């Protein structure tokens, strides 16, 4: 008992002095989630769903904003800020959040790591993120007090009501919130709304012309096929980034990919799973060539060689169930024009077409055979040489 007595005396002497912080109007907004949760009944299954309540406070006037959210995820966290700014009618310079993962990735008093999506929101509205220290609730005392007031005057009075949609919950919260903000504060003699209109509202920065569009962020490694995956759809990046780490920023309508902070690719958002969005400029040269190949292109190239080559290519494309199955065979046939003369290729194509084979290997064998035979011009020169007697000479001599 003596030990406890002396310890209590000693502990009373170790009080850490508190510092009063003067808040400037329209400068800060403190944000957090309420301690209590609300409930909603799923009208289809009867399941009870827990509803979180996002709270934002302007500490200079203690003016409050609150809304219901189905999940405490990144999208709801960011959009909660957006709707809070719209409710206040302006933007603050500093936002003080707790060290939630949706806001802060690495708690550190001097250089906290800010979540990419949250940082994107901060840059859009041009506010600074100054998170509270870990286990230091006094750093955001206004929102802590605001959360207690929301628990007491907004959530608690609604605890016995049944809600069957998020919209019903939001409407009920807004009604209670208006009552709370219009309630006269003891010791001040004015309501939160009166304080807000006098202190904060004149000092808030204007809202941007275009509303903020929520963006999801993801870090990914570029695949060997120079694509990155986002929600089961694959988007191309320049091929030289294969095996590199990139950051993906995806809004409802667009996907933008960054490498070391520099934008390297922009695609329209595609929600089809296991499909590819590929830009030709991202391909290496040989892949660009293959991507351009189609039946019309092959026929165009064949027509430049000759009519028999054109006819064989056309027949080869028609001989398959799908023209794409014949593309490689046709490319092989056309590539033979580099090795053999157009005349020989035309002759071989005519023979192969008449035989109904439509094979690259058969055409190549025919060209090898033709190359081994003397040409008609050489044969004509050979039979008219002055030292050659000719067949007639032997026929006349035999008959005589």
């Amino acid at each position: 008992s003596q030990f406890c007595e002396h310890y209590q005396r000693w502990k009373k002497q170790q009080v850490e002095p508190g510092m009063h912080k003067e808040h400037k109007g329209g400068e800060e907004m403190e944000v957090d989630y309420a301690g209590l949760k609300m409930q909603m009944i799923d009208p289809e299954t009867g399941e009870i769903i827990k509803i979180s309540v996002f709270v934002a406070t302007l500490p200079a006037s203690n003016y409050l904003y609150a809304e219901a959210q189905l999940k405490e995820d990144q999208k709801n966290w960011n959009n909660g800020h957006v709707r809070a700014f719209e409710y206040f009618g302006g933007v603050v310079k500093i936002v003080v959040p707790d060290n939630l993962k949706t806001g802060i990735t690495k708690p550190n008093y001097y250089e906290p790591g800010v979540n990419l999506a949250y940082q994107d929101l901060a840059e859009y509205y041009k506010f600074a993120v100054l998170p509270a220290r870990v286990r230091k609730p006094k750093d955001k005392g206004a929102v802590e007090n605001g959360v207690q007031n929301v628990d007491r005057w907004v959530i608690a009075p609604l605890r016995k009501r049944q809600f069957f949609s998020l919209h019903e919950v939001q409407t009920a919260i807004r009604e209670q919130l208006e009552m709370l903000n219009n309630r006269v504060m003891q010791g001040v003699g004015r309501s939160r709304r009166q304080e807000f209109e006098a202190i904060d509202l004149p000092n808030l920065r204007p809202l941007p012309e275009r509303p903020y569009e929520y963006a999801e962020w993801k870090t990914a490694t570029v695949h060997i096929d120079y694509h990155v995956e986002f929600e089961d759809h694959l988007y191309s990046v320049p091929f030289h980034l294969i095996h590199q780490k990139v950051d993906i920023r995806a809004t409802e309508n667009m996907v933008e990919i960054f490498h070391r902070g520099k934008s390297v690719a922009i695609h329209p958002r595609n929600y089809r799973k296991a499909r590819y969005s590929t830009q030709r400029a991202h391909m290496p040269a040989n892949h660009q060539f293959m991507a351009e190949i189609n039946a019309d292109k092959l026929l165009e190239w064949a027509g430049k060689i000759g009519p028999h080559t054109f006819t064989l290519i056309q027949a080869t494309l028609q001989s398959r169930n799908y023209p794409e199955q014949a593309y490689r065979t046709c490319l092989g046939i056309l590539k033979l024009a580099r090795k053999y003369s157009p005349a020989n290729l035309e002759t071989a194509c005519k023979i192969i077409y008449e035989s109904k084979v439509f094979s690259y290997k058969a055409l190549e064998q025919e060209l090898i055979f033709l190359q081994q035979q003397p040409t008609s011009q050489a044969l004509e020169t050979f039979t008219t040489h002055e030292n050659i007697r000719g067949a007639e000479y032997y026929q006349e001599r035999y008959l005589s």
Side-chain angles (χ1 to χ4, degrees):
S1 61
Q2 284 297 305
F3 172 81
C4 292
E5 176 69 22
H6 287 289
Y7 177 77
Q8 291 298 330
R9 291 178 185 175
W10 172 84
K11 189 175 180 181
K12 288 180 180 180
Q13 297 174 358
Q14 306 304 314
V15 175
E16 184 177 349
M19 176 182 175
H20 172 71
K21 183 178 181 181
E22 191 69 32
H23 296 285
K24 296 181 181 179
E27 185 175 65
E28 290 184 26
M29 180 176 77
E30 298 179 4
V31 290
D32 203 352
Y33 281 102
L36 299 178
K37 291 185 182 291
M38 298 185 66
Q39 293 184 348
M40 180 184 78
I41 300 173
D42 189 323
E44 295 182 0
T45 63
E47 177 188 1
I48 296 177
I49 302 171
K50 296 289 186 180
I51 303 293
S52 298
V53 178
F54 173 85
V55 180
T57 305
L58 299 179
S61 63
N62 291 312
Y63 195 56
L64 290 166
Y65 170 76
E67 69 170 38
Q69 296 182 356
L70 286 174
K71 295 180 180 179
E72 296 183 11
D73 58 9
Q74 190 68 58
K75 185 175 182 179
N76 282 313
W77 174 257
N78 279 27
N79 288 337
H81 287 65
V82 174
R83 288 185 284 267
F85 290 143
E86 291 173 352
Y87 181 79
F88 296 143
V91 183
V92 297
K93 298 177 183 178
I94 299 170
V95 173
V96 182
D98 205 348
N99 288 279
L100 302 170
K101 289 185 179 180
T102 49
I104 306 301
T105 57
K106 184 181 179 182
N108 186 289
Y109 178 72
Y110 301 103
E111 292 184 350
V114 181
N115 183 297
L116 280 176
Y118 195 38
Q119 183 63 38
D120 187 48
L121 174 74
E123 290 176 1
Y124 187 85
Y125 283 103
K126 295 181 173 58
F127 65 78
V129 179
L130 296 179
R133 292 173 293 174
V134 179
R135 293 185 293 277
K136 295 290 183 179
K138 288 185 179 181
D139 286 2
K140 52 182 178 62
V143 77
E144 293 291 337
N145 184 57
V147 163
Q148 290 180 2
N149 282 304
V150 169
D151 286 343
R152 183 179 303 159
W153 299 104
V154 176
I155 299 177
L158 301 174
R159 65 187 182 279
K160 294 183 180 180
R161 286 180 55 177
Q162 289 187 337
F163 301 99
F164 296 92
S165 70
L166 188 63
H167 176 71
E168 291 181 12
V169 180
Q170 296 282 31
T171 302
I173 287 177
R174 183 59 64 91
E175 292 172 355
Q176 294 296 126
L177 185 65
E178 291 302 308
M179 292 173 59
L180 175 59
N181 280 330
N182 290 320
R183 185 186 183 91
V184 176
M185 295 183 288
Q186 294 182 0
V188 179
R190 297 204 299 175
S191 68
R192 289 177 172 81
R193 183 176 296 280
Q194 290 172 322
E195 289 282 280
F196 165 74
E197 291 174 350
I199 301 172
D200 282 315
L201 187 58
N203 297 303
L204 291 173
R205 292 183 291 116
L207 292 166
E209 293 182 3
R210 294 180 58 189
Y212 169 78
E213 186 178 13
Y214 171 73
E216 297 178 70
W217 285 83
K218 176 184 176 182
T219 300
T221 302
V222 181
H223 299 173
I224 189 69
D225 61 357
Y226 48 88
H227 285 74
V228 291
E229 180 270 331
F230 184 82
E231 290 192 351
D232 297 327
H233 190 89
L234 293 116
Y235 301 89
S236 67
V237 299
F239 70 94
H240 62 267
L241 295 176
I242 290 174
H243 295 155
Q244 298 290 315
K245 293 281 188 183
V246 294
D247 294 316
I248 304 172
R249 180 182 182 271
T251 65
E252 186 178 359
N253 302 307
M254 183 186 70
V255 171
E256 188 169 8
I257 303 165
F258 297 85
H259 179 249
R260 296 179 179 175
K262 181 181 178 182
S263 177
V264 294
I266 299 177
H267 296 268
R269 180 77 177 266
N270 195 315
Y271 292 91
R272 300 179 67 187
K273 297 184 183 298
R275 298 300 178 92
Y276 286 76
S277 292
T278 307
Q279 294 182 10
R280 183 177 179 275
H282 296 161
M283 301 178 175
N286 57 330
H287 289 201
Q288 291 183 20
F289 171 77
M290 292 299 296
E292 289 180 349
I293 295 173
N294 54 52
D296 293 336
K297 202 75 174 178
L298 292 168
L299 290 170
E300 180 187 343
W301 293 337
K304 293 179 181 179
I305 298 173
H308 295 299
T309 306
F310 179 90
T311 302
L312 180 62
I313 292 295
Q314 188 177 49
T316 303
L317 290 168
Q318 294 173 353
S319 67
R320 308 298 200 271
N321 293 330
Y322 300 97
E324 291 80 5
Q325 295 175 325
Y327 284 2
R328 290 191 178 185
T329 300
C330 293
L331 283 172
I333 292 171
L334 295 172
K335 193 173 181 179
L336 291 171
R338 301 179 185 177
K339 188 176 181 181
Y340 301 95
S341 67
N344 276 0
L345 182 57
E346 277 285 278
T347 302
C349 286
K350 181 176 183 297
I351 295 170
I352 292 299
Y353 174 75
E354 291 173 351
S355 65
K356 307 296 181 184
V357 178
F358 312 135
S359 166
Y360 163 78
K361 289 185 178 179
L363 180 65
E364 187 179 36
Q365 291 298 322
E366 186 63 33
L367 283 165
I368 293 172
F369 174 78
L370 289 174
Q371 194 176 38
Q372 292 174 351
Q373 304 303 313
T375 64
S376 58
Q377 183 179 0
L379 184 60
E380 183 180 352
T381 304
F382 181 73
T383 55
T384 57
H385 196 271
E386 60 182 358
N387 293 330
I388 301 300
R389 297 170 180 170
E392 295 80 4
Y393 171 82
Y394 293 97
Q395 289 177 355
E396 292 175 359
R397 184 169 182 176
Y398 176 74
L399 293 172
S400 63

